[in-house]
Amino acid sequence: MLKSLFNWKVLLNLLVAIGIFVGLVWLTFRWLEYHTNHGQEIPVPNVVNKSVHDAVKILEDAGLDYEVDSAAYNPKYRPLQVLKVYPSPGSRVKDGRAIQLMVNPKSWAPVAVPDVINKYSGLAFQRLEQVGLKVNDTIYEPSIQKDAVLRILFKGNSIKPGTKIPRFSVIDVVVGSGPMRNIAIPNVVGLTVKEAKALIARNLFEVGLVDHEDGGNDDSDIVYYQDPASGDARDQGMQIDLWASKKTPAELRGKIEILNSTYRMRVDTTLPPVRYDEVPNFQDPPPINDPVPAPAPQKKETPKTETPKANGTSTKPATTGDKPKSGASTTTPATEKPKAKKVII
């Protein structure tokens, strides 16, 4: 058994197998070195604070690929300035490695203008600020839509909702100031219906009933009558009715007279004014005042006088049996008069 294992043929096959295995391993590593450029590393150049065009040229000359990220805008840096590089400058990478460049874009990312036309101005301003737009001037112009947004201006030009402009852009908003009072009605007689509608809209009035003589709906018909009449004072936003025909107003005098009798009532000023008598106003008799009873007289109170007591010891009244001594004084001290008190009644 052992002799068969150490046979030269077995040993030869074993050596051949080991040689083939070692050769495959060596070829594999050589292929990996060639495929991965083992030992061939390139330092990442420092392109921070350079423009993106210069940075791309430097990376291409070094045999490196690049990827540009310009999502975040920072107004403190120049437009298209390289802010960051990954991997960091000085790192060694393989040939063909993609280097990521974080670049400051030219401006903020564009945003779509929201649809705030014909909306209340207070809510419209909040919506514009939410998307990052700043309202600079508020321009008021006559309109029947008071406090409603009529137009949005960007750099002096009117823009439509959905237009994309840079974020934090400054815009102007045109707001309606409400209808004006007592404005003269424009004269549209003799114009076509299309021209009359345009003139009425420019004067901020509304087109009311349009009566075509032939029952059609042709805007090329000529207006031969209007109500209210031209020159009448009305508030903006009121309706103007039109009567149109393919004939000229001179050919429709009969119909115009009929319409005048209906819509143009005249007051005859030749008659004397009517005077009316006025009913005299009824006057109420003056009220009778009841006699007021006289107040009862009040009694006057007499002031009471007080007799002051004499100073010293009290004296006993003299009796008939007692005789005064010769040395004793027979005179009594004089009494003072009391002061009178004032009594207010």
Side-chain angles (χ1 to χ4, degrees):
M1 183 70 180
L2 294 175
K3 290 181 179 181
S4 61
L5 290 176
F6 291 100
N7 191 1
W8 65 273
K9 292 182 179 180
V10 175
L11 294 175
L12 180 61
N13 292 331
L14 183 60
L15 292 175
V16 171
I18 293 173
I20 293 173
F21 176 75
V22 173
L24 291 175
V25 172
W26 181 81
L27 290 175
T28 301
F29 279 101
R30 292 295 297 176
W31 177 82
L32 290 174
E33 290 179 0
Y34 175 78
H35 183 72
T36 59
N37 296 327
H38 181 68
Q40 299 178 4
E41 295 179 347
I42 302 173
V44 178
N46 187 6
V47 293
V48 178
N49 295 328
K50 295 183 180 295
S51 66
V52 65
H53 303 288
D54 296 340
V56 168
K57 185 178 180 181
I58 293 173
L59 293 176
E60 288 179 348
D61 294 341
L64 298 173
D65 294 337
Y66 57 89
E67 295 178 358
V68 178
D69 180 13
S70 60
Y73 173 72
N74 194 336
K76 296 189 298 182
Y77 301 104
R78 300 190 309 271
L80 303 179
Q81 178 183 352
V82 178
L83 305 179
K84 190 176 180 181
V85 178
Y86 181 81
S88 59
S91 302
R92 304 186 68 85
V93 296
K94 301 291 185 178
D95 185 16
R97 170 70 182 273
I99 306 300
Q100 295 182 357
L101 302 177
M102 184 176 292
V103 180
N104 192 35
K106 289 184 178 180
S107 61
W108 295 100
V111 295
V113 177
D115 187 7
V116 294
I117 303 300
N118 299 328
K119 301 293 193 307
Y120 175 63
S121 58
L123 299 177
F125 290 166
Q126 294 180 2
R127 185 72 183 94
L128 293 171
E129 291 178 356
Q130 288 176 357
V131 299
L133 299 177
K134 296 182 179 180
V135 179
N136 183 25
D137 291 336
T138 303
I139 304 171
Y140 290 91
E141 69 176 27
S143 174
I144 60 175
Q145 296 176 309
K146 186 176 181 181
D147 295 332
V149 176
L150 304 179
R151 295 188 306 278
I152 297 177
L153 304 178
F154 177 62
K155 295 182 179 180
N157 298 322
S158 179
I159 57 177
K160 296 181 179 180
T163 304
K164 289 189 176 182
I165 59 177
R167 192 179 182 185
F168 299 112
S169 296
V170 179
I171 59 175
D172 300 328
V173 179
V174 181
V175 179
S177 61
M180 299 179 66
R181 307 294 182 183
N182 298 326
I183 303 300
I185 298 293
N187 185 12
V188 297
V189 175
L191 303 178
T192 62
V193 175
K194 183 178 180 180
E195 294 172 346
K197 289 180 178 179
L199 182 59
I200 291 172
R202 284 198 300 269
N203 288 270
L204 302 180
F205 289 98
E206 296 291 333
V207 178
L209 172 68
V210 180
D211 185 10
H212 294 266
E213 184 187 16
D214 56 0
N217 192 18
D218 190 2
D219 285 346
S220 63
D221 290 352
I222 299 175
V223 177
Y224 66 90
Y225 195 81
Q226 70 177 77
D227 181 62
S230 61
D232 291 352
R234 294 290 189 275
D235 297 341
Q236 288 180 338
M238 296 191 65
Q239 293 184 350
I240 300 177
D241 298 333
L242 304 176
W243 283 260
S245 174
K246 297 188 180 300
K247 301 178 182 179
T248 61
E251 299 173 348
L252 299 170
R253 292 188 179 275
K255 285 193 174 183
I256 293 175
E257 292 296 332
I258 295 174
L259 292 172
N260 282 333
S261 63
T262 304
Y263 297 99
R264 308 282 193 271
M265 297 182 64
R266 297 180 180 179
V267 179
D268 190 0
T269 58
T270 59
L271 298 176
V274 180
R275 294 184 178 180
Y276 299 95
D277 296 334
E278 295 183 356
V279 178
N281 295 330
F282 178 76
Q283 297 181 356
D284 296 333
I288 300 175
N289 297 328
D290 296 334
V292 180
Q298 297 181 356
K299 296 181 179 181
K300 295 183 180 180
E301 296 181 359
T302 56
K304 296 180 180 180
T305 57
E306 295 180 357
T307 304
K309 296 180 180 181
N311 295 331
T313 58
S314 61
T315 57
K316 295 181 180 181
T319 57
T320 55
D322 297 335
K323 293 181 180 180
K325 295 181 180 181
S326 59
S329 176
T330 59
T331 60
T332 60
T335 60
E336 296 180 358
K337 292 183 179 181
K339 296 181 180 180
K341 293 184 178 180
K342 295 182 180 180
V343 178
I344 299 174
I345 299 174

